[in-house]
Amino acid sequence: MFTEQDILYSYEMLNNEHLDVRAVTLGINLFDCAGDSLEKVKANIYAKITGLAKNLVPICDSIGEKYGIKIVNKRISVSPISSIGAPFDKDGMIEIAKTLDRAAKDSGVDFVGGFTALVEKGISRGDLALIEAIPEALTVTDRVCSSVNVASTRAGINMDAVLLMSKAIKKAAALTADKDGLACAKLCIFANIPQDIPFMAGAYLGIGEADAVINVGVSGPGVVKKAIDRGIKDNPDLNLGEIAEIIKRTACRVTRVGEVIGREVAREIGIPFGVVDLSLAPTPTVGDSVGEIFQSLGLFSIGAPGSTAALAMLNDAVKKGGSFASSHVGGLSGAFIPVSEDLNIAEAARSGILTIEKLEAMTSVCSVGLDMVAIPGDTSVETLAGIIADEMAIGMINKKTTAVRIIPVPGKKAGENAHFGGLLGFATIMPVKETGQANTFVLRGGRIPAPVQSLVN
């Protein structure tokens, strides 16, 4: 039974605290579209996506209006294209990317994810063709997102793939130099990638999923911040355990909203409901920032000493509250700390309080990784590979998801600004330590073995 206070809190969350459903993502299995004729595969893909997604946007808009809850993004994720397009070469993969883009535009969705390869243990012919196609595919399309899983706790880190992806990032940045390397903002490199992420750029539909499914991602940084502020105003002596309890209860309310919306969208379309992703997803809007939560907790800024502990507490409390609210939780389910998409985090990076090294440390306790980090355009391929390998190691050893979405901004140096537009926001370019010496470690290739699963310390 809802109390009057619960109803008032919900009203406040919706009207004054930026609560929204960040993403409703329709996952579509494309394995029945496979074939050895490129034209037939493209036709099958277009027909299946536009057929299943034709009512996605109007249904989301209608349900959002019914409940007074804004559904910000409507998206599609598909089966890994490296498998669907395995018979084709790089040019064939680019053609498939164009088909995905056209299907996304005709369906009215914001993005389509799934230009994906899973290469943590080895690179097949289709995987290699897709990786080679990524820079151009992300340049000639507007709505296609790409992800490549190069590491897992069970398989280790595929360093050949890490180096290939470093080269792909540099090339993608160069091809979109006039847009500050925008193509890189649509590319994620993962360790332990989940199969049901509703958020881009990492969304794809895993092999163990249904033929079509609805996954939902909620927002909520502003709601959590306001809840903490209210609690401290009422009782300035709250300790961290009591604040964690406030975050937990708030996350439970936010998750309920996402579950209600997701189930109704799935029912209207006539497909199963999948999961709610509990991630706190910020925007470049004042009052909708994960970084501001750190200040409410008492830190001067995200990046200051204590930030890793604060993020660990926040992440855990959100998961506990969300788990109570929904039996079907998945995706990333943590706190995003993207530099460019969060105004407060972008400011911390600009002032130098938040460094790339501190960001890396913080990713050991959250579910994402180095996200939307702009770095100097002259960063070498070897240094990029080292950054990716370090982040993958955190995910591999700690049995968790980590990712890298990094943008070497062509022609710009540390301290300058990069502008990506819209939800992607802007970021001050963060300095990267270049030793000026050869990095033969990342050039050796091979696979870093999977860690022992016992003897945990």
Side-chain angles (χ1 to χ4, degrees), residues 181-241:
L182 180 64
C184 299
K186 299 186 285 180
L187 172 61
C188 265
I189 297 108
F190 274 94
N192 295 320
I193 186 172
Q195 303 187 42
D196 50 11
I197 309 171
F199 294 107
M200 297 295 170
Y204 83 104
L205 187 72
I207 293 170
E209 298 283 323
D211 195 50
V213 66
I214 287 289
N215 294 319
V216 172
V218 294
S219 177
V223 178
V224 171
K225 173 187 162 26
K226 289 290 180 62
I228 296 170
D229 291 345
R230 268 196 303 269
I232 292 175
K233 184 180 178 184
D234 293 342
N235 180 6
D237 296 325
L238 282 179
N239 63 38
L240 292 175

Side-chain angles (χ1 to χ4, degrees), residues 115 274 347-348 357:
F115 200 71
E347 173 57 26
E357 290 80 11

Side-chain angles (χ1 to χ4, degrees), residues 130-411:
L130 182 130
I131 290 173
E132 289 176 342
I134 284 174
E136 191 171 340
L138 297 184
T139 301
V140 301
T141 61
D142 297 316
R143 305 189 188 189
V144 174
C145 291
S146 178
S147 56
V148 177
N149 193 70
V150 301
S152 74
T153 300
R154 287 187 175 275
I157 304 174
N158 185 340
M159 290 300 292
D160 295 321
V162 169
L163 193 57
L164 279 173
M165 291 313 301
S166 304
K167 294 175 180 175
I169 289 173
K170 288 286 283 185
K171 189 172 180 182
L175 289 174
T176 50
D178 59 331
K179 299 176 182 173
D180 283 345
L182 180 64
C184 299
K186 299 186 285 180
L187 172 61
C188 265
I189 297 108
F190 274 94
N192 295 320
I193 186 172
Q195 303 187 42
D196 50 11
I197 309 171
F199 294 107
M200 297 295 170
Y204 83 104
L205 187 72
I207 293 170
E209 298 283 323
D211 195 50
V213 66
I214 287 289
N215 294 319
V216 172
V218 294
S219 177
V223 178
V224 171
K225 173 187 162 26
K226 289 290 180 62
I228 296 170
D229 291 345
R230 268 196 303 269
I232 292 175
K233 184 180 178 184
D234 293 342
N235 180 6
D237 296 325
L238 282 179
N239 63 38
L240 292 175
E242 291 165 332
I243 292 176
E245 182 67 18
I246 290 173
I247 298 171
K248 193 173 73 174
R249 289 174 180 274
T250 305
C252 181
R253 293 191 185 99
V254 169
T255 305
R256 289 277 193 201
V257 171
E259 173 122 0
V260 166
I261 296 294
R263 286 192 178 281
E264 188 146 343
V265 172
R267 187 166 54 247
E268 289 287 326
I269 296 179
I271 62 175
F273 171 71
V275 300
V276 181
D277 186 317
L278 306 179
S279 296
L280 289 179
T283 67
T285 303
V286 175
D288 198 25
S289 160
V290 171
E292 289 176 341
I293 296 175
F294 287 71
Q295 293 173 330
S296 291
L297 290 171
L299 290 165
F300 172 72
S301 166
I302 185 172
S307 295
T308 307
L311 182 59
M313 184 187 85
L314 172 66
N315 222 29
D316 181 67
V318 167
K319 289 183 180 182
K320 285 173 177 170
S323 299
F324 182 76
S326 174
S327 298
H328 298 286
V329 171
L332 293 166
S333 291
F336 287 123
I337 47 173
V339 176
S340 79
E341 296 176 5
D342 185 308
L343 194 62
N344 187 278
I345 298 177
E347 173 57 26
R350 189 199 62 76
S351 66
I353 295 173
L354 181 63
T355 64
I356 197 167
E357 290 80 11
K358 184 61 175 176
L359 265 177
E360 182 187 305
M362 292 171 70
T363 63
S364 65
V365 298
C366 76
S367 304
V368 193
L370 295 174
D371 195 17
M372 290 301 290
V373 179
I375 60 173
D378 60 358
T379 303
S380 69
V381 167
E382 290 83 355
T383 297
L384 262 176
I387 292 171
I388 295 170
D390 286 345
E391 192 62 41
M392 298 301 103
I394 289 173
M396 175 185 72
I397 293 293
N398 293 295
K399 303 177 184 140
K400 65 189 290 298
T401 300
T402 53
V404 173
R405 188 163 52 147
I406 198 164
I407 306 158
V409 183

Side-chain angles (χ1 to χ4, degrees), residues 58-135:
I59 286 174
C60 285
D61 290 343
S62 170
I63 292 172
E65 189 174 337
K66 173 182 173 184
Y67 289 101
I69 299 172
K70 186 178 180 183
I71 300 176
V72 181
N73 300 299
K74 300 89 178 177
R75 298 166 169 177
I76 293 170
S77 64
V78 299
S79 310
I81 293 299
S82 68
S83 299
I84 310 302
F88 310 115
D89 60 7
K90 169 190 163 186
D91 292 337
M93 291 292 185
I94 293 170
E95 288 301 310
I96 293 176
K98 291 177 180 175
T99 301
L100 292 173
D101 197 50
R102 187 162 59 91
K105 288 175 178 173
D106 291 348
S107 302
V109 300
D110 309 283
F111 286 112
V112 53
F115 200 71
T116 296
L118 310 174
V119 295
E120 62 271 19
K121 204 169 181 181
I123 303 174
S124 69
R125 173 184 157 181
D127 297 327
L128 184 60
L130 182 130
I131 290 173
E132 289 176 342
I134 284 174

Side-chain angles (χ1 to χ4, degrees), residues 415-439:
E416 294 186 69
N417 289 324
H419 296 267
F420 307 113
L423 196 63
L424 299 175
F426 71 96
T428 299
I429 296 170
M430 302 176 80
V432 171
K433 287 181 181 174
E434 289 268 21
T435 64
Q437 304 296 317
N439 188 341

